[in-house]
Amino acid sequence: MKKIAILGSTGSIGTQTLDVVRAHPEAFQVEGIAAGTNVDLVVQQANEFQPRIVSVANKELAEQIRHQLPAGTQVHYGEQGLIEVAAGTEAHTVVTAVMGSMGLPSTLAAIEAGKTIGLANKETLVTAGHLVTERARQKGVQLLPIDSEHSALFQSLNGEPRERIAQLTLTASGGSFRDRTRAELHGVTVADALKHPNWSMGAKITIDSASMANKGLEVIEAHWLFDMPYDQISVVLHPESIIHSFVEFVDTSIIAQLGNPDMRVPIQYALTYPDRQTSPSSRLSLAQVGQLNFREMDYERFPCLRMAFEAGRLGGTAPTVFNAANEVAVARFLKGEIAFLTIEDIIADALEHHQTTANPELEVIQSVDQETRAQAMAFSERT
């Protein structure tokens, strides 16, 4: 039985991870769960899966749920609570599924504790890829990708050496507005943006998919996960989301991973790697799908993706700026404070005014992150 801990247990990835545990109760034991403010759900999860440690967003919520949990359950809160769940249990694998850069300290703590990382928090590698990958190498820790695209690349590579790889290609659904022109994006609502045609995901990642910022984050993550230069990473629009990503080798062979859009498949593969088990997901019938479509990526139509490539090539603190500005911009859009297209204006403004620092230490990254967030919060829409 493999012991696991889940950071972000009440979010989309966290709840689907627990679906996998339900499907294979003989294979997994949940040692710890960390959530934010959804206390009703985390109490329900704690009583069902009996973890040793539960963490929530703050002290008040921790006191609120303390007497609703199974006897003997430890209750923690805040950033230190995330770290306790990540590093303070007997878990073999830690699923890092908290949203945004807040997942970085707990992921680093899990690596220091020698845990295998099931990585669903792409911002960790975007903001501090050089630190995370170096510490993982030093500790002999595996970073197993949970994002469907990176899991597809991981499975397609299957241990092939780097020098045999010609190109990594991430596929993109195009999100909620893939068939709209830029002119048609003026005035779109939050409700419009949240109607993803293929995937069931959280609000933030669904908005990121619509702006293609999410694919930009995935490009930077792929750079670090697979040690590939940006010139050997590309993106193609694939509306069906059946081919999740593919690898071209130097002999022109292409290997892809296919499947119905269901995050439980890459989650389960990360938890069972290198083994495979039966999945609750529906099986793919290519005959029923009938055809698969692909389009070249238009970087003028999706400038957030272009800016992510630019930030990635700059390196240093530039990806941190991209991520922080985007997080604040998406939060402001979801609150109705700004228009959808202002998301990219905020990112562009932050990158334009930033002086990149190469090879930053964690303290520098955190400082740049906070400065960028303040700048993004103060950004006013252009009239």
Side-chain angles (χ1 to χ4, degrees):
M1 181 173 284
K2 182 176 285 187
K3 296 179 179 181
I4 66 172
I6 305 169
L7 308 180
S9 67
T10 58
S12 176
I13 296 296
T15 54
Q16 290 180 88
T17 299
L18 291 172
D19 281 345
V20 172
V21 174
R22 285 190 192 95
H24 300 283
E26 77 294 342
F28 304 110
Q29 177 180 328
V30 179
E31 282 281 294
I33 56 175
T37 59
N38 191 346
V39 291
D40 291 340
L41 182 53
V42 79
V43 167
Q44 178 184 319
Q45 292 173 341
N47 282 285
E48 178 179 359
F49 294 98
Q50 304 282 309
R52 288 201 309 109
I53 298 179
V54 172
S55 178
V56 288
N58 55 53
K59 184 177 181 179
E60 291 73 25
L61 293 177
E63 292 302 320
Q64 178 182 328
I65 69 170
R66 189 178 299 278
H67 301 295
Q68 302 177 57
L69 301 177
T73 303
Q74 297 178 33
V75 184
H76 297 271
Y77 60 88
E79 183 177 292
Q80 189 58 42
L82 280 171
I83 291 172
E84 287 292 335
V85 173
T89 75
E90 296 178 1
H92 168 272
T93 299
V94 177
V95 175
T96 61
V98 291
M99 289 302 300
S101 58
M102 68 179 293
L104 177 57
S106 51
T107 301
L108 289 172
I111 291 171
E112 290 297 324
K115 313 292 188 183
T116 296
I117 306 298
L119 190 65
N121 173 269
K122 59 179 66 67
E123 293 87 354
T124 293
L125 286 185
V126 170
T127 58
H130 62 297
L131 297 179
V132 174
T133 54
E134 180 56 30
R135 292 191 189 182
R137 276 193 291 269
Q138 290 172 354
K139 289 289 183 178
V141 164
Q142 285 187 302
L143 301 176
L144 299 177
I146 282 179
D147 274 346
S148 59
E149 295 83 357
H150 301 95
S151 178
L153 292 173
F154 183 69
Q155 294 179 63
S156 299
L157 287 166
N158 196 26
E160 291 272 4
R162 185 175 178 278
E163 59 269 18
R164 294 179 189 168
I165 304 167
Q167 190 83 6
L168 306 179
T169 300
L170 299 162
T171 56
S173 68
S176 312
F177 304 137
R178 66 190 177 200
D179 296 320
R180 299 197 189 198
T181 65
R182 284 190 63 76
E184 292 171 330
L185 295 178
H186 292 282
V188 296
T189 66
V190 171
D192 294 332
L194 289 174
K195 294 174 184 176
H196 196 287
N198 300 351
W199 295 94
S200 174
M201 305 182 293
K204 195 265 184 182
I205 195 172
T206 304
I207 302 303
D208 281 350
S209 179
S211 71
M212 207 66 79
N214 187 56
K215 203 56 52 178
L217 297 172
E218 289 175 4
V219 165
I220 299 170
E221 184 181 6
H223 164 76
W224 290 112
L225 274 175
F226 306 111
D227 190 25
M228 293 298 292
Y230 288 98
D231 289 345
Q232 288 177 259
I233 303 173
S234 61
V235 179
V236 66
L237 203 62
H238 171 47
E240 292 83 6
S241 295
I242 296 296
I243 293 180
H244 298 302
S245 282
F246 54 90
V247 179
E248 180 184 359
F249 295 93
V250 292
D251 64 354
T252 73
S253 295
I254 292 177
I255 296 179
Q257 187 264 334
L258 289 73
N260 285 316
D262 189 334
M263 284 304 302
R264 293 174 298 178
V265 176
I267 291 169
Q268 180 172 297
Y269 187 65
L271 294 180
T272 62
Y273 177 81
D275 296 325
R276 293 183 186 269
Q277 295 189 17
T278 56
S279 169
S281 179
S282 61
R283 300 181 68 177
L284 171 66
S285 168
L286 286 174
Q288 191 171 27
V289 171
Q291 65 180 14
L292 301 175
N293 296 280
F294 304 91
R295 302 203 297 268
E296 290 286 347
M297 185 53 61
D298 183 346
Y299 292 94
E300 296 305 312
R301 167 63 180 80
F302 295 107
C304 287
L305 179 56
R306 171 181 53 77
M307 289 187 285
F309 267 105
E310 292 169 356
R313 288 189 171 99
L314 281 171
T317 50
T320 300
V321 171
F322 177 90
N323 177 70
N326 179 64
E327 282 188 25
V328 170
V330 170
R332 293 183 65 185
F333 171 66
L334 286 169
K335 291 176 183 176
E337 295 178 6
I338 61 171
F340 178 74
L341 288 175
T342 305
I343 293 172
E344 61 199 44
D345 292 336
I346 289 175
I347 297 171
D349 180 73
L351 287 170
E352 181 183 346
H353 290 93
H354 178 65
Q355 187 68 40
T356 300
T357 300
N359 299 312
E361 294 298 324
L362 181 59
E363 294 75 14
V364 173
I365 291 169
Q366 291 172 327
S367 175
V368 167
D369 181 270
Q370 291 305 311
E371 291 170 4
T372 303
R373 288 173 189 276
Q375 181 180 339
M377 281 298 297
F379 185 92
S380 298
E381 286 201 71
R382 294 167 185 158
T383 58

